[in-house]
Amino acid sequence: MIRNPILPGFNPDPSIVRVGEDYYVATSTFEWFPGVQIHHSRDLENWRLVARPLDRASQLDLRGDPDGCGVWAPCLSHDGQRFHLVYTDVKRYGRTTTAGASGASLRDFHNYLVTAETIDGPWSDPVHLNSSGFDPSLFHDADGRKWLVNMLWDHRPGRNRFGGIVLQEYDPRARRLIGERRLIFKGTPLGLTEAPHLYRRGDHYYLLTAEGGTGWNHAVTMARARSIEGPYELHPDVHILSARDRPDAPLQRAGHADLVETPAGETWMVYLCGRPLSNRGRCVMGRETAIQKMCWGADGWLRTEAGDGLPVVEAERGPSIDQREDFDAPGLAIDFQWLRTPEPEAIFSLSARPGHLRLYGRESIGSLFTQALVARRQQAFCYSAACAMDFDPAHYQQAAGLVCYYNAAKFHYLHVSHDEALGRHIRVMSALPDAPQADAFTAPVAIPPGRIELRCEVDYERLRFAFRAEGQAGWTWIPEIFDASILSDEASAPGLPNFTGAFVGLACQDMAGTARPADFDWFAYRERDYAAGPTGLDWPAALSRLGAGPMLRA
């Protein structure tokens, strides 16, 4: 049975390709480095993260990219000889007032192509394709020609910012686009036309796009033409997948799709989706990737199996993750990423103290340039995370600890610091996107010197922190319950794109510029049962069964 979402908690904008019996899905990574994540499957059900291809400065440098920008909408394809990966690096987003209809007019989108003979590389240095818009996709036609499509950004006053889909030929020998670009599809009245993919079936070229924006109005639109340059006629139903008129659907925000055909001739669609909390309407798992079987009709058009155009859930979850990283290997596990910099040696080391991840204190948490924050994605509604840390701060400009992070405007950070009155202490700093005061702090708690263990427990929209100092038998719980739902797209930070999803991980700052380090002996991430639902789980009892120590008072 296909599990939907097939990539729980993983970023959206999926692109899928089949090579022989192997399926690969590439998804966006935004400001997180290394760029792009690729999952592999043999059965379209069980998926494993196998590659992050953009892993060096010559391919990608995200320093200065605003939150939610960076790598958008990678498209992975194969021409029979090698893999091709095209992607956008978004350098400027600007201030928005509505979902793309107005607001910042000038934006910078740079589209690139890298190639590799195998999925695990090595991947080439990039070829710059264009900067006319985002969501590039490369189509390999049967005659050997290659075509790039992308959405066109129109900054002119009074114009539709989403100016339609443009087509241009790519010459692999010259390694550049050739000929004139042509506008082949202006979109429908739903607007916000983006995420184009081209396919050829029979006598027609099929164009798949996303419309309605990446929120609640998201939809998959299809059109076809007998010539690749058009004219393109709309599908009789216009939109072949959407939940925009069905607030009861368990998968919302469905759109930004791609198609793959199995050896048996079945057609499957991968697409972006979100699972909102029933009591808050926020998708704390971010935008996820789902998959659904589709059917071609006698009229030559694609539809869902039920013909209703709705996203479906076959099963709500797969196996739970219970993972511990002891930092004994020469490199980080593939699950971990960091923010923006292509120079990881500037922010962490696995050799400076063997068996530990050493984070060098860098810029403030939320910096757009060089901050020492190493994290993994949240992949379940309920999870536990913990770490053991050695950190001896000299003053209040130095801090390190465990963070639940969305972006610079949305995080909860359990950290150890120092001041002249209290000495070494621990507290939580929260960045709150929808509160009168953007930064909030809990009261500091004095702690003794030495190793300390930190922990967080997330249950849907509820978050608790605890710590255990060296020699302490039980956990000391921070008394406050924190709102984990702010770590979502829907908890809007005005003027910023909200796309990335929630992470949990380790951080270290030294705003005095002396690179005071913190050493982490281990990090653990464990998913917990959430079958009882967001209001039905006996949270304190569940934590007690996990060995949490004192019962929490929720």
Side-chain angles (χ1 to χ4, degrees):
M1 176 180 289
I2 294 294
R3 301 184 181 100
N4 245 358
I6 55 168
L7 304 184
F10 270 92
N11 268 333
D13 313 329
S15 169
I16 190 168
V17 64
R18 178 177 65 86
V19 181
E21 297 181 353
D22 299 292
Y23 298 90
Y24 300 97
V25 167
T27 52
S28 299
T29 44
F30 305 99
E31 67 265 36
W32 291 87
F33 200 94
V36 180
Q37 51 205 9
I38 298 176
H39 285 76
H40 168 257
S41 177
R42 283 287 183 95
D43 58 8
L44 297 177
E45 178 179 354
N46 298 288
W47 295 85
R48 182 173 62 92
L49 182 60
V50 294
R52 297 193 188 276
L54 308 180
D55 60 1
R56 60 186 187 271
S58 62
Q59 295 172 316
L60 188 68
D61 189 341
L62 300 170
R63 286 173 291 193
D65 286 13
D67 286 335
C69 293
V71 175
W72 285 12
C75 173
L76 183 66
S77 60
H78 196 274
D79 67 355
Q81 293 183 317
R82 60 182 56 86
F83 290 97
H84 294 67
L85 179 70
V86 294
Y87 59 95
T88 305
D89 182 4
V90 183
K91 293 298 186 185
R92 182 175 189 260
Y93 188 86
R95 184 184 63 85
T96 57
T97 56
T98 61
S102 62
S105 58
L106 296 175
R107 300 184 182 181
D108 295 306
F109 315 103
H110 303 310
N111 296 318
Y112 299 95
L113 164 68
V114 293
T115 61
E117 293 185 2
T118 62
I119 202 68
D120 53 356
W123 289 82
S124 69
D125 281 344
V127 173
H128 175 250
L129 298 170
N130 64 27
S131 300
S132 59
F134 53 88
D135 292 357
S137 176
L138 191 64
F139 170 65
H140 310 278
D141 208 346
D143 61 4
R145 299 173 75 180
K146 301 181 188 300
W147 299 86
L148 185 80
V149 284
N150 62 268
M151 68 79 65
L152 181 68
W153 184 258
D154 191 340
H155 69 275
R156 293 174 294 178
R159 299 293 185 122
N160 181 359
R161 297 279 186 261
F162 289 69
I165 304 302
V166 290
L167 171 80
Q168 193 168 359
E169 187 172 359
Y170 174 72
D171 184 341
R173 290 177 294 276
R175 302 178 75 228
R176 63 182 179 87
L177 297 175
I178 59 174
E180 296 297 320
R181 76 182 188 198
R182 293 176 173 83
L183 182 67
I184 61 171
F185 186 65
K186 291 184 177 180
T188 75
L190 186 58
L192 304 175
T193 307
E194 57 188 346
H197 290 291
L198 276 172
Y199 316 89
R200 189 167 186 175
R201 181 180 175 88
D203 295 331
H204 288 92
Y205 292 91
Y206 288 84
L207 176 66
L208 205 65
T209 65
E211 294 193 297
T214 193
W216 308 114
N217 287 324
H218 215 188
V220 180
T221 304
M222 177 172 269
R224 72 181 181 188
R226 293 189 179 274
S227 166
I228 195 169
E229 296 177 2
Y232 282 83
E233 61 170 322
L234 280 171
H235 191 289
D237 305 328
V238 183
H239 311 298
I240 62 172
L241 186 80
S242 182
R244 70 192 189 284
D245 297 323
R246 290 291 300 272
D248 58 316
L251 296 184
Q252 291 290 322
R253 308 174 65 179
H256 201 123
D258 194 10
L259 303 176
V260 70
E261 188 171 288
T262 70
E266 297 176 341
T267 298
W268 290 80
M269 176 187 285
V270 291
Y271 56 91
L272 177 163
C273 68
R275 291 180 286 172
L277 296 176
S278 59
N279 57 337
R280 294 296 293 273
R282 291 177 172 178
C283 300
V284 295
M285 294 278 282
R287 298 184 302 159
E288 305 174 272
T289 293
I291 192 167
Q292 190 162 331
K293 188 177 179 183
M294 305 291 286
C295 295
W296 291 96
D299 58 358
W301 288 107
L302 190 67
R303 294 178 175 86
T304 60
E305 283 191 295
D308 55 7
L310 285 174
V312 298
V313 174
E314 298 285 353
E316 291 190 357
R317 65 171 301 172
S320 295
I321 297 173
D322 190 348
Q323 188 173 35
R324 178 184 169 107
E325 177 59 42
D326 289 307
F327 304 119
D328 294 324
L332 282 176
I334 195 171
D335 303 277
F336 289 100
Q337 291 177 276
W338 56 93
L339 285 164
R340 294 183 175 85
T341 180
E343 299 173 351
E345 65 278 4
I347 61 171
F348 68 81
S349 172
L350 288 159
S351 60
R353 183 180 176 186
H356 293 74
L357 172 66
R358 171 164 290 180
L359 294 187
Y360 298 105
R362 297 299 182 189
E363 295 174 342
S364 61
I365 190 167
S367 165
L368 301 184
F369 291 89
T370 305
Q371 62 164 311
L373 195 161
V374 172
R376 60 155 297 136
R377 294 196 65 86
Q378 176 181 340
Q379 289 182 256
F381 287 108
C382 303
Y383 73 88
S384 307
C387 66
M389 179 181 75
D390 286 315
F391 180 57
D392 184 23
H395 51 72
Y396 64 89
Q397 288 182 311
Q398 298 167 344
L402 179 68
V403 64
C404 298
Y405 188 90
Y406 183 96
N407 62 22
K410 297 185 280 192
F411 61 79
H412 298 292
Y413 182 23
L414 177 68
H415 64 279
V416 172
S417 188
H418 185 282
D419 68 33
E420 58 275 15
L422 195 60
R424 189 171 186 252
H425 63 271
I426 191 167
R427 71 193 315 175
V428 177
M429 175 189 180
S430 296
L432 305 173
D434 45 11
Q437 182 175 332
D439 296 336
F441 293 83
T442 61
V445 178
I447 55 174
R451 173 183 166 115
I452 188 168
E453 294 181 0
L454 310 174
R455 148 185 212 163
C456 70
E457 301 287 345
V458 171
D459 174 53
Y460 293 92
E461 77 277 18
R462 295 182 292 181
L463 165 63
R464 294 296 301 268
F465 284 111
F467 64 93
R468 181 163 57 192
E470 192 168 26
Q472 182 179 343
W475 292 92
T476 299
W477 292 92
I478 302 295
E480 291 83 0
I481 296 177
F482 300 90
D483 182 5
S485 79
I486 69 165
L487 310 176
S488 65
D489 296 359
E490 292 77 18
S492 179
L496 295 173
N498 291 273
F499 301 147
T500 56
F503 285 71
V504 59
L506 313 170
C508 184
Q509 297 80 42
D510 187 343
M511 292 170 284
T514 60
R516 189 81 160 198
D519 290 336
F520 294 87
D521 186 19
W522 53 264
F523 173 84
Y525 173 87
R526 179 184 182 186
E527 295 178 1
R528 296 191 281 105
D529 181 33
Y530 55 85
T535 59
L537 184 66
D538 185 352
W539 198 30
L543 292 182
S544 180
R545 289 193 296 273
L546 288 168
M551 297 286 282
L552 299 182
R553 294 180 175 85

Tab-separated table of all heavy atoms in Angstrom, residues 185 187-188 190-191 193-195 197 207-212 219-223 234-235 237-241 255-257 269:
chain	number	residue	atom	x	y	z
A	185	PHE	N	2.282	29.392	-22.713
A	185	PHE	CA	1.091	29.186	-21.884
A	185	PHE	C	0.972	30.356	-20.910
A	185	PHE	O	1.889	30.618	-20.147
A	185	PHE	CB	1.210	27.866	-21.115
A	185	PHE	CG	-0.020	27.481	-20.336
A	185	PHE	CD1	-1.219	27.180	-20.976
A	185	PHE	CD2	0.020	27.396	-18.948
A	185	PHE	CE1	-2.339	26.813	-20.257
A	185	PHE	CE2	-1.087	27.025	-18.221
A	185	PHE	CZ	-2.278	26.729	-18.879
A	187	GLY	N	-1.522	30.613	-18.667
A	187	GLY	CA	-2.195	30.220	-17.440
A	187	GLY	C	-3.686	30.464	-17.497
A	187	GLY	O	-4.225	30.938	-18.493
A	188	THR	N	-4.370	30.116	-16.408
A	188	THR	CA	-5.819	30.253	-16.309
A	188	THR	C	-6.145	31.388	-15.339
A	188	THR	O	-5.250	31.940	-14.682
A	188	THR	CB	-6.448	28.949	-15.797
A	188	THR	OG1	-6.208	28.827	-14.382
A	188	THR	CG2	-5.863	27.737	-16.510
A	190	LEU	N	-7.134	31.238	-12.455
A	190	LEU	CA	-6.697	30.942	-11.095
A	190	LEU	C	-5.376	31.636	-10.788
A	190	LEU	O	-5.121	32.034	-9.650
A	190	LEU	CB	-6.573	29.431	-10.889
A	190	LEU	CG	-6.271	28.948	-9.471
A	190	LEU	CD1	-7.335	29.411	-8.480
A	190	LEU	CD2	-6.134	27.430	-9.439
A	191	GLY	N	-4.528	31.807	-11.802
A	191	GLY	CA	-3.321	32.604	-11.673
A	191	GLY	C	-2.179	31.914	-10.955
A	191	GLY	O	-2.241	30.743	-10.600
A	193	THR	N	0.733	31.008	-12.133
A	193	THR	CA	1.117	29.863	-12.948
A	193	THR	C	2.617	29.621	-12.856
A	193	THR	O	3.420	30.516	-13.144
A	193	THR	CB	0.705	30.105	-14.408
A	193	THR	OG1	-0.690	30.456	-14.452
A	193	THR	CG2	0.955	28.878	-15.250
A	194	GLU	N	3.000	28.405	-12.461
A	194	GLU	CA	4.403	28.078	-12.204
A	194	GLU	C	4.617	26.573	-12.375
A	194	GLU	O	3.727	25.859	-12.817
A	194	GLU	CB	4.787	28.527	-10.784
A	194	GLU	CG	3.908	27.913	-9.711
A	194	GLU	CD	4.152	28.485	-8.320
A	194	GLU	OE1	5.175	29.167	-8.119
A	194	GLU	OE2	3.311	28.249	-7.426
A	195	ALA	N	5.807	26.101	-12.007
A	195	ALA	CA	6.145	24.665	-11.930
A	195	ALA	C	5.820	23.892	-13.202
A	195	ALA	O	5.160	22.855	-13.154
A	195	ALA	CB	5.421	24.035	-10.736
A	197	HIS	N	6.153	21.303	-16.352
A	197	HIS	CA	6.836	20.091	-16.809
A	197	HIS	C	6.222	19.691	-18.146
A	197	HIS	O	4.999	19.755	-18.314
A	197	HIS	CB	6.673	18.936	-15.815
A	197	HIS	CG	7.422	19.122	-14.533
A	197	HIS	ND1	8.790	19.083	-14.457
A	197	HIS	CD2	6.972	19.360	-13.278
A	197	HIS	CE1	9.168	19.273	-13.194
A	197	HIS	NE2	8.079	19.445	-12.464
A	207	LEU	N	1.583	19.658	-21.080
A	207	LEU	CA	2.190	20.630	-20.181
A	207	LEU	C	1.464	20.579	-18.843
A	207	LEU	O	0.244	20.773	-18.779
A	207	LEU	CB	2.094	22.042	-20.770
A	207	LEU	CG	2.601	23.187	-19.882
A	207	LEU	CD1	4.113	23.072	-19.659
A	207	LEU	CD2	2.250	24.539	-20.510
A	208	LEU	N	2.205	20.311	-17.795
A	208	LEU	CA	1.665	20.277	-16.438
A	208	LEU	C	2.195	21.502	-15.706
A	208	LEU	O	3.398	21.785	-15.739
A	208	LEU	CB	2.132	19.000	-15.726
A	208	LEU	CG	1.289	18.448	-14.580
A	208	LEU	CD1	-0.067	17.985	-15.084
A	208	LEU	CD2	2.026	17.292	-13.903
A	209	THR	N	1.313	22.251	-15.043
A	209	THR	CA	1.732	23.415	-14.268
A	209	THR	C	1.037	23.419	-12.913
A	209	THR	O	0.061	22.689	-12.690
A	209	THR	CB	1.404	24.745	-14.986
A	209	THR	OG1	-0.017	24.899	-15.095
A	209	THR	CG2	2.028	24.801	-16.368
A	210	ALA	N	1.556	24.236	-12.009
A	210	ALA	CA	0.883	24.510	-10.741
A	210	ALA	C	0.260	25.893	-10.830
A	210	ALA	O	0.815	26.803	-11.460
A	210	ALA	CB	1.873	24.453	-9.578
A	211	GLU	N	-0.890	26.053	-10.187
A	211	GLU	CA	-1.546	27.361	-10.155
A	211	GLU	C	-2.165	27.587	-8.779
A	211	GLU	O	-2.275	26.674	-7.963
A	211	GLU	CB	-2.612	27.463	-11.248
A	211	GLU	CG	-2.022	27.440	-12.659
A	211	GLU	CD	-3.045	27.854	-13.718
A	211	GLU	OE1	-4.063	27.150	-13.867
A	211	GLU	OE2	-2.809	28.879	-14.363
A	212	GLY	N	-2.549	28.823	-8.527
A	212	GLY	CA	-3.248	29.157	-7.294
A	212	GLY	C	-2.345	29.460	-6.112
A	212	GLY	O	-2.831	29.718	-5.010
A	219	ALA	N	-3.298	24.083	-7.081
A	219	ALA	CA	-3.931	23.156	-8.021
A	219	ALA	C	-2.934	22.725	-9.078
A	219	ALA	O	-1.942	23.413	-9.343
A	219	ALA	CB	-5.147	23.812	-8.685
A	220	VAL	N	-3.213	21.559	-9.700
A	220	VAL	CA	-2.428	21.062	-10.828
A	220	VAL	C	-3.251	21.280	-12.092
A	220	VAL	O	-4.391	20.816	-12.197
A	220	VAL	CB	-2.104	19.565	-10.666
A	220	VAL	CG1	-1.276	19.069	-11.859
A	220	VAL	CG2	-1.363	19.311	-9.359
A	221	THR	N	-2.673	21.988	-13.058
A	221	THR	CA	-3.347	22.322	-14.311
A	221	THR	C	-2.664	21.591	-15.457
A	221	THR	O	-1.440	21.453	-15.475
A	221	THR	CB	-3.291	23.840	-14.552
A	221	THR	OG1	-3.857	24.518	-13.429
A	221	THR	CG2	-4.053	24.224	-15.808
A	222	MET	N	-3.462	21.115	-16.420
A	222	MET	CA	-2.902	20.412	-17.578
A	222	MET	C	-3.397	21.039	-18.872
A	222	MET	O	-4.545	21.483	-18.978
A	222	MET	CB	-3.271	18.921	-17.541
A	222	MET	CG	-2.784	18.135	-18.756
A	222	MET	SD	-3.006	16.335	-18.611
A	222	MET	CE	-1.429	15.883	-17.880
A	223	ALA	N	-2.490	21.073	-19.869
A	223	ALA	CA	-2.834	21.507	-21.227
A	223	ALA	C	-2.030	20.645	-22.195
A	223	ALA	O	-1.056	20.000	-21.810
A	223	ALA	CB	-2.520	22.985	-21.424
A	234	LEU	N	-6.557	23.641	-23.002
A	234	LEU	CA	-6.732	23.254	-21.608
A	234	LEU	C	-7.445	21.918	-21.481
A	234	LEU	O	-8.288	21.563	-22.315
A	234	LEU	CB	-7.520	24.322	-20.852
A	234	LEU	CG	-6.742	25.554	-20.398
A	234	LEU	CD1	-7.705	26.603	-19.866
A	234	LEU	CD2	-5.718	25.179	-19.324
A	235	HIS	N	-7.110	21.211	-20.434
A	235	HIS	CA	-7.827	19.998	-20.032
A	235	HIS	C	-9.311	20.344	-19.851
A	235	HIS	O	-9.654	21.433	-19.387
A	235	HIS	CB	-7.226	19.512	-18.708
A	235	HIS	CG	-7.655	18.148	-18.286
A	235	HIS	ND1	-8.929	17.861	-17.849
A	235	HIS	CD2	-6.955	16.979	-18.202
A	235	HIS	CE1	-8.997	16.582	-17.514
A	235	HIS	NE2	-7.817	16.025	-17.724
A	237	ASP	N	-11.303	19.535	-17.617
A	237	ASP	CA	-11.542	19.879	-16.211
A	237	ASP	C	-10.639	21.010	-15.743
A	237	ASP	O	-10.733	21.423	-14.581
A	237	ASP	CB	-11.311	18.655	-15.312
A	237	ASP	CG	-12.154	17.458	-15.735
A	237	ASP	OD1	-13.273	17.683	-16.239
A	237	ASP	OD2	-11.682	16.312	-15.571
A	238	VAL	N	-9.772	21.479	-16.582
A	238	VAL	CA	-8.775	22.525	-16.315
A	238	VAL	C	-7.750	22.056	-15.279
A	238	VAL	O	-6.579	21.877	-15.561
A	238	VAL	CB	-9.422	23.859	-15.891
A	238	VAL	CG1	-8.334	24.919	-15.701
A	238	VAL	CG2	-10.450	24.313	-16.929
A	239	HIS	N	-8.215	21.862	-14.037
A	239	HIS	CA	-7.326	21.452	-12.953
A	239	HIS	C	-7.566	19.973	-12.662
A	239	HIS	O	-8.694	19.562	-12.361
A	239	HIS	CB	-7.572	22.291	-11.709
A	239	HIS	CG	-7.604	23.764	-11.992
A	239	HIS	ND1	-6.524	24.454	-12.493
A	239	HIS	CD2	-8.616	24.672	-11.884
A	239	HIS	CE1	-6.855	25.717	-12.662
A	239	HIS	NE2	-8.118	25.868	-12.308
A	240	ILE	N	-6.520	19.156	-12.722
A	240	ILE	CA	-6.697	17.715	-12.590
A	240	ILE	C	-6.467	17.221	-11.164
A	240	ILE	O	-6.744	16.071	-10.855
A	240	ILE	CB	-5.787	16.949	-13.568
A	240	ILE	CG1	-4.305	17.205	-13.282
A	240	ILE	CG2	-6.124	17.334	-15.001
A	240	ILE	CD1	-3.376	16.324	-14.102
A	241	LEU	N	-5.970	18.091	-10.290
A	241	LEU	CA	-5.803	17.730	-8.881
A	241	LEU	C	-5.805	19.002	-8.054
A	241	LEU	O	-5.076	19.946	-8.360
A	241	LEU	CB	-4.483	16.975	-8.654
A	241	LEU	CG	-4.288	16.421	-7.236
A	241	LEU	CD1	-5.073	15.125	-7.058
A	241	LEU	CD2	-2.810	16.181	-6.935
A	255	GLY	N	-0.551	20.434	-5.158
A	255	GLY	CA	-0.136	21.061	-6.409
A	255	GLY	C	1.319	20.780	-6.688
A	255	GLY	O	1.931	19.921	-6.067
A	256	HIS	N	1.889	21.517	-7.621
A	256	HIS	CA	3.298	21.401	-8.012
A	256	HIS	C	3.659	19.925	-8.236
A	256	HIS	O	4.366	19.303	-7.440
A	256	HIS	CB	4.211	22.014	-6.952
A	256	HIS	CG	5.551	22.380	-7.510
A	256	HIS	ND1	6.062	23.654	-7.439
A	256	HIS	CD2	6.486	21.647	-8.169
A	256	HIS	CE1	7.256	23.692	-8.010
A	256	HIS	NE2	7.529	22.481	-8.475
A	257	ALA	N	3.198	19.389	-9.355
A	257	ALA	CA	3.246	17.950	-9.592
A	257	ALA	C	4.224	17.579	-10.705
A	257	ALA	O	4.670	18.421	-11.489
A	257	ALA	CB	1.849	17.441	-9.942
A	269	MET	N	1.553	10.273	-10.144
A	269	MET	CA	1.831	11.690	-9.976
A	269	MET	C	2.389	11.942	-8.576
A	269	MET	O	1.806	11.508	-7.582
A	269	MET	CB	0.556	12.521	-10.164
A	269	MET	CG	0.754	14.019	-9.902
A	269	MET	SD	-0.815	14.919	-9.944
A	269	MET	CE	-1.102	14.941	-11.712
